[in-house]
């Protein structure tokens, strides 16, 4: 079906789909929580210092963009390294995804298409 996009699949993965028997795997929520805990305060401090030093708001925005990219990298590497607290793949999924000696037991990772489609967009409101 051509109506199924990576965004829709990510939504199903993030929130689960009881109809399709998909457990919720909230990696985006966990990434935001990680960023709030580990990046937000230091990013704002760096951004304010940069702005005060230059008087240019773009220097503050650059720090926010860097944080956004760190979040994107965190989610992409976190899936591959199994760093998220998410439901494991079902045995039937592992069997289906195991091809040419490659064991398909990493949740949210098969071809890499979904995780590679994750983007970070900094947007001023």
């Amino acid at each position: 079906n051509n109506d199924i996009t990576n965004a829709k699949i990510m939504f199903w993965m993030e929130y689960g789909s009881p109809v399709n028997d998909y457990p919720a795997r909230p990696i985006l929520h966990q990434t935001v929580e990680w960023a709030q805990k580990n990046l937000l305060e230091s990013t704002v401090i760096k951004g304010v210092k940069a702005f005060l030093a230059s008087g240019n708001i773009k220097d503050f925005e650059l720090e926010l963009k860097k944080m956004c990219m760190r979040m994107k990298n965190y989610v992409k590497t976190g899936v591959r390294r199994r760093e998220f607290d998410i439901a494991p793949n079902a045995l039937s999924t592992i069997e289906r995804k195991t091809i040419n000696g490659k064991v398909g037991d990493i949740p949210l990772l098969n071809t890499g298409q979904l995780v590679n489609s994750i983007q970070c967009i900094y947007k001023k409101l």
Side-chain angles (χ1 to χ4, degrees), residues 3-18:
D3 294 340
I4 297 177
T5 63
N6 284 326
K8 286 180 183 178
I9 294 169
M10 191 70 241
F11 182 87
W12 292 331
M13 295 295 106
E14 188 75 11
Y15 295 99
S17 174

Side-chain angles (χ1 to χ4, degrees), residues 93-105 110-111:
T93 302
I94 294 170
E95 290 170 354
R96 182 178 46 79
K97 288 173 60 176
T98 298
I99 300 170
N100 298 328
K102 178 184 157 206
V103 179
D105 64 343
N110 188 18
T111 65

Side-chain angles (χ1 to χ4, degrees), residues 22-125:
Y22 298 150
R25 293 183 167 130
I27 63 169
L28 300 180
H29 280 90
Q30 289 181 43
T31 299
V32 170
E33 289 172 3
W34 171 82
Q36 288 173 328
K37 181 179 176 185
N38 298 291
L39 297 179
L40 188 58
E41 184 177 344
S42 63
T43 297
V44 170
I45 290 169
K46 285 180 193 174
V48 168
K49 285 181 180 179
F51 170 70
L52 292 175
S54 70
N56 189 341
I57 194 65
K58 292 196 180 295
D59 292 332
F60 179 80
E61 292 171 348
L62 179 60
E63 292 302 322
L64 296 177
K65 289 176 185 177
K66 288 179 188 177
M67 183 180 83
C68 191
M69 294 307 295
R70 286 186 198 112
M71 291 172 68
K72 179 176 102 170
N73 290 335
Y74 176 80
V75 73
K76 287 183 171 189
T77 59
V79 166
R80 287 181 173 88
R81 295 180 183 165
R82 305 172 196 211
E83 294 176 355
F84 292 101
D85 183 21
I86 58 176
N89 280 340
L91 184 56
S92 60
T93 302
I94 294 170
E95 290 170 354
R96 182 178 46 79
K97 288 173 60 176
T98 298
I99 300 170
N100 298 328
K102 178 184 157 206
V103 179
D105 64 343
I106 301 175
L108 299 174
L109 190 63
N110 188 18
T111 65
Q113 178 182 336
L114 179 64
V115 76
N116 288 330
S117 74
I118 295 172
Q119 296 296 315
C120 172
I121 300 171
Y122 168 78
K123 192 176 197 180
K124 288 180 10 176
L125 300 176

